[in-house]
Amino acid sequence: MSNLVNVPKNGSLSNVNSNVNFPNNSSWLDDIFNRDLSSVFTSNFNTGLSLPKVNIKETADAYIVEMAVPGLKKSDFKLDLDNQVLSISTEKKETHEQKEDNYTRKEFGYASFKRTFTLPETVDDEKITANYQDGILNIFLPKKEEAKQKPARSIKIS
């Protein structure tokens, strides 16, 4: 939107339609409320923090959850199972302090996330295992025996 006013060659600033380039209240409010709000709210905030990406695979015997979370340690994770809801969370705080003769410099950082998944009733929750290696958290969710896919077989007709 341009706020420039065309000035006639005679130098006069009066114009019959002088507010052509100035938005009316209605269009101005429409512009505010119809724009992408996520860009408005994230423009001045840390946009580097996001939920980790997750792959979920199903095999005949289990479900496998792979979560990409590089830069963390195994001890940074907390896995909880409550009423068939698996919660994966982490919280990491860092503080750096540098003292010199005439100044002290402190920096701190904080990052956290929590992802929850409702598990199917076919998961044997007593046998769930997890490991963390090379920035990938792997969670193995074995199926109950009765839920495991049986191999195909031929049925003889009598």
Side-chain angles (χ1 to χ4, degrees):
M1 175 171 64
S2 173
N3 289 330
L4 299 176
V5 177
N6 291 331
V7 178
K9 290 192 187 240
N10 66 6
S12 168
L13 289 178
S14 64
N15 188 346
V16 175
N17 197 4
S18 63
N19 65 348
V20 164
N21 292 323
F22 191 78
N24 62 32
N25 286 342
S26 175
S27 69
W28 182 74
L29 288 173
D30 286 344
D31 284 348
I32 288 176
F33 290 109
N34 290 331
R35 73 172 66 160
D36 182 17
L37 289 180
S38 63
S39 67
V40 172
F41 289 115
T42 60
S43 62
N44 293 322
F45 298 102
N46 179 6
T47 57
L49 184 62
S50 63
L51 288 177
K53 305 294 183 197
V54 174
N55 291 329
I56 300 175
K57 300 177 192 176
E58 181 179 10
T59 66
D61 299 330
Y63 299 95
I64 301 165
V65 177
E66 298 173 329
M67 182 178 288
V69 279
L72 298 174
K73 298 179 291 208
K74 180 172 63 171
S75 60
D76 292 333
F77 295 100
K78 182 178 178 186
L79 275 69
D80 293 311
L81 182 64
D82 184 23
N83 226 9
Q84 291 299 105
V85 176
L86 176 67
S87 298
I88 306 163
S89 60
T90 186
E91 180 178 32
K92 187 170 184 170
K93 298 176 186 178
E94 291 182 356
T95 304
H96 299 285
E97 185 173 334
Q98 178 182 2
K99 289 187 177 190
E100 297 294 328
D101 292 338
N102 57 352
Y103 71 90
T104 299
R105 180 177 136 192
K106 289 185 179 182
E107 292 184 13
F108 64 92
Y110 177 84
S112 70
F113 74 83
K114 182 174 186 177
R115 300 271 324 241
T116 59
F117 302 92
T118 301
L119 301 181
E121 290 184 20
T122 57
V123 171
D124 187 350
D125 60 3
E126 296 296 323
K127 296 181 180 175
I128 296 174
T129 60
N131 70 1
Y132 181 69
Q133 185 176 357
D134 298 328
I136 305 291
L137 176 64
N138 290 293
I139 304 168
F140 183 72
L141 306 163
K143 293 181 181 179
K144 295 176 182 174
E145 272 310 310
E146 61 270 15
K148 289 183 180 177
Q149 189 176 14
K150 295 180 172 69
R153 64 183 181 98
S154 295
I155 300 171
K156 191 172 189 174
I157 301 172
S158 57

